[in-house]
Amino acid sequence: MNGGPAITVEHLNVSFGDSHVVRDLSFTVQEGESYGIVGESGSGKSTVLRVLAGLNRDWSGTVTILGEAQGPRRDKAFHRAVQMVFQDPYGSLHPKKTVDDTLAEPLAIHGIGDREPRIARALKDVGLPMAFRYRYPHQLSGGQRQRVAIARALILEPGILLLDEPTSALDVSIQAEVLNLLQALRSERRLTYILVSHDLAVVGHMCDRLMVMQLGKGVEEMQAATLSARAPVTEYAKELLTASEGFRRS
């Protein structure tokens, strides 16, 4: 971790037809940092993540990742360095592929050898026993599936993980387990995270800094400590905080 920028976004704009879903958004994430993007449904936060991951190719602005200016299409080296964990562990794993198949596939695509030790390490790192290696997704719980999805993202040893609501589809009882796992992995591997969530408590727990988005715009950037102190500056961020606290109390 050298403290330089891992991700720089300048004047990002994304439109779908007549709908302008990301509007002139700029932010920087330092190497080794965990950065949150929060907002209500439809605020544009997941669209930003898809642009960063190379999944959305229709955008304007400047995106620089690990010192390289990024175009709409990304090469294999990019996908080895930057991986995404999706919201839905049910939808992101192929139902007819075993855990072993799922973990071996990225290694085959990137022509990486030493498959056995890499798969063994990936399972160990996410807290799954080797006995799970030949199971299918339907034989796993939601939390176990998300651990497999995290293992798949980590097996290429990326420097950056993009996390799209990684626990929102899971039972509340196991959300904390997965978040704590992600925190431990970030520390051990010195990873850079961008975490998208509608849940301010999750972002406050996981992130160093965060951006609040509303209707495609970044309305306030703050330290996690500001969130913990319940001291945002903008009215919208205050309302979002109040709404999330009210939801948690009910």
Side-chain angles (χ1 to χ4, degrees):
M1 179 170 152
N2 63 21
I7 299 169
T8 304
V9 173
E10 296 172 299
H11 306 298
L12 179 65
N13 284 275
V14 184
S15 295
F16 299 130
D18 294 332
S19 180
H20 198 169
V21 294
V22 179
R23 301 167 180 264
D24 202 36
L25 184 70
S26 299
F27 63 92
T28 298
V29 181
Q30 299 301 315
E31 195 171 328
E33 186 176 24
S34 182
Y35 188 87
I37 303 178
V38 298
E40 295 170 291
S41 181
S43 61
K45 57 190 188 298
S46 288
T47 300
V48 174
L49 217 57
R50 292 179 70 82
V51 168
L52 294 176
L55 297 173
N56 184 332
R57 293 175 176 172
D58 192 10
W59 51 272
S60 65
T62 304
V63 174
T64 306
I65 298 179
L66 298 173
E68 300 274 334
Q70 301 297 325
R73 294 180 182 275
R74 312 289 162 82
D75 60 14
K76 272 190 182 180
F78 170 86
H79 289 293
R80 190 164 175 177
V82 180
Q83 283 284 307
M84 187 157 166
V85 177
F86 296 90
Q87 176 177 0
D88 179 12
Y90 302 89
S92 70
L93 300 179
H94 195 293
K96 293 186 177 177
K97 287 186 175 176
T98 63
V99 171
D100 186 70
D101 295 333
T102 295
L103 297 181
E105 186 175 45
L107 299 176
I109 289 170
H110 288 265
I112 298 168
D114 63 349
R115 165 181 153 159
E116 292 296 315
R118 280 179 180 266
I119 289 175
R121 182 191 174 194
L123 287 172
K124 181 174 180 285
D125 282 357
V126 298
L128 289 176
M130 287 294 281
F132 281 64
R133 186 168 167 180
Y134 296 104
R135 294 189 185 181
Y136 290 89
H138 73 269
Q139 296 172 310
L140 306 175
S141 70
Q144 290 164 349
R145 290 180 203 190
Q146 195 62 302
R147 286 171 187 265
V148 172
I150 293 166
R152 177 178 59 188
L154 290 175
I155 203 160
L156 295 174
E157 299 182 1
I160 296 172
L161 278 194
L162 306 173
L163 305 163
D164 189 7
E165 301 261 16
T167 60
S168 65
L170 304 177
D171 291 341
V172 173
S173 59
I174 54 171
Q175 285 183 6
E177 285 180 21
V178 174
L179 292 173
N180 289 336
L181 169 66
L182 286 166
Q183 275 197 312
L185 289 166
R186 177 186 157 217
S187 175
E188 287 162 19
R189 295 186 175 221
R190 299 184 175 183
L191 295 165
T192 303
Y193 283 176
I194 294 188
L195 170 69
V196 159
S197 181
H198 67 280
D199 189 329
L200 286 170
V202 167
V203 170
H205 178 65
M206 289 285 291
C207 299
D208 307 309
R209 291 187 302 135
L210 62 136
M211 169 78 73
V212 177
M213 287 188 70
Q214 180 187 25
L215 300 174
K217 292 183 177 179
V219 295
E220 183 172 352
E221 190 177 55
M222 69 182 92
Q223 299 288 333
T226 305
L227 183 65
S228 299
R230 296 170 175 74
V233 175
T234 60
E235 205 53 48
Y236 177 72
K238 289 176 186 174
E239 288 171 9
L240 204 61
L241 182 58
T242 303
S244 75
E245 288 178 335
F247 173 75
R248 291 193 162 270
R249 277 197 299 270
S250 61

